[in-house]
Amino acid sequence: MQSNKLVMITLDGCRYDTAVEELGFLGHLVEKGQAARYQVLSELPSNSRPMYQVLLTGTPPYKSGIVSNLSVRLSGQESLFHRVREAGGVTAAAAYYWVSELYQHAPFSFQKDRIQHNSELPIQHGIFYFEDQYPDSHVFAEANYLLENYQPDFLYIHSMNIDDTGHKFTADSKEYRAAVDKADLILAECLPAWIRAGYQVIVTSDHGMDEFGHHGGTRTGVRQVPLFIISDKVVPQIVEEQIPELMVAPLACHLMNIESTRDMERLEFPGLRTSSESI
C-alpha cells in the first residue's frame, strides 16, 4: 500500500553539481533503483526567504510579496502546512526561524518561539533554530524526535550548515564540500529508518552557491539545485530535463494525496507513476 506521509528536506545553499558529487548515500539509492534524481532551476531572486516561500507554497516572489530576506512578515499564501492540517493531517518542522516567521508568528521571538506546539497553527509541532552555524546534526535529531513522538503526515526539515559554510569559504572550497558530505552522512543515518516507518522523502535545496560565496542572482551555480525523491509514486531514475522550482510544492501535494492550492501551478512532472504502475 502506498504511503501519503512525506518528509521534505531542504539543504540550504546546496548546488546541484556538488550534490551529485558529494551526496554519496543518495547517489547510492539512485544507482540501486531506490530513488529518483532531478535538477531543479530555482526561482529568482535566488535567496533564502523567497525560496522557502516558493518551495512551501508554489508561488513566485512577485505574487507572494516575499521578495527578499528582509521580507519579515507572515505569508499571505496557503502553504503545504495549511493544506495538510486542513485535510486532517499532522504537521511538524525542524527548521530555521524564518520558516516560523512565514507561517507561524512574525517577528520571531527567540525566547518564546523556539519550541512550538499548537494544533491551531499551520505548523502544529515546531522546533526552530536561529543561528546559521547551528549544527545540522542537531536539526536532524530534533526532526527525528518530532517524527517519533508525533508521527506527522508532513515533516519539513531545513538545515543551514552548507549555506553558512559556502558564505564563509565559497562553493569552490574543501570546507563547502565537507559540509555537503556531512549532510550526506546524517541522511544515511536517518533516512532508512524513516523509510521503514512509511515515509516518502524529498531532498532538495532553496538555491545554490557560487565561487565568491554568494547567491541571489542568475548564475548557474546559484540556480541549479538537486531534487531527490524516494517514493513508490515516482519512477526511480535520473531525469535530465530541468524542473522549475515551482513544481516542488504541487509535487509534494501529489505525493501526500492532497489538493494543490489555487496559487500553485498545474503539476507537470516527468516520472510520476500512474495508479496502475504503482508498486
Side-chain angles (χ1 to χ4, degrees), residues 15 67 83 86 138 148 157 169 183-184 219-220 234 239:
R15 53 189 281 162
V67 295
R83 298 303 288 165
E86 290 166 4
H138 291 37
E148 290 188 347
I157 305 170
F169 299 101
D184 186 67
R219 304 183 75 205
T220 297
V234 177
V239 177

Side-chain angles (χ1 to χ4, degrees), residues 95-163:
Y96 194 55
Y97 75 101
W98 288 359
V99 175
S100 175
E101 287 184 328
L102 282 169
Y103 309 112
Q104 302 286 88
H105 307 287
F108 183 87
S109 169
F110 299 153
Q111 291 77 25
K112 297 179 181 179
D113 291 337
R114 168 146 166 76
I115 298 176
Q116 302 178 37
H117 297 287
N118 187 333
S119 61
E120 300 303 314
L121 289 175
I123 304 173
Q124 295 165 318
H125 305 285
I127 302 177
F128 301 97
Y129 62 97
F130 44 84
E131 293 181 343
D132 292 15
Q133 67 271 25
Y134 188 73
D136 286 356
S137 57
H138 291 37
V139 176
F140 278 87
E142 289 160 356
N144 190 68
Y145 168 83
L146 293 169
L147 186 144
E148 290 188 347
N149 285 274
Y150 300 101
Q151 296 84 48
D153 297 279
F154 177 53
L155 171 61
Y156 182 67
I157 305 170
H158 169 270
S159 62
M160 186 64 84
N161 289 172
I162 296 171
D163 181 78

Side-chain angles (χ1 to χ4, degrees), residues 203-221:
V203 181
T204 190
S205 183
D206 50 347
H207 56 73
M209 185 70 61
D210 69 18
E211 64 270 32
F212 304 108
H214 297 299
H215 56 81
T218 62
R219 304 183 75 205
T220 297

Side-chain angles (χ1 to χ4, degrees), residues 62-110:
Y62 84 92
K63 283 187 177 180
S64 72
I66 306 298
V67 295
S68 80
N69 288 343
L70 301 180
S71 300
V72 182
R73 62 174 178 79
L74 283 173
S75 165
Q77 279 70 39
E78 277 192 289
S79 69
L80 296 173
F81 302 112
H82 291 84
R83 298 303 288 165
V84 172
R85 188 194 62 178
E86 290 166 4
V90 176
T91 62
Y96 194 55
Y97 75 101
W98 288 359
V99 175
S100 175
E101 287 184 328
L102 282 169
Y103 309 112
Q104 302 286 88
H105 307 287
F108 183 87
S109 169
F110 299 153

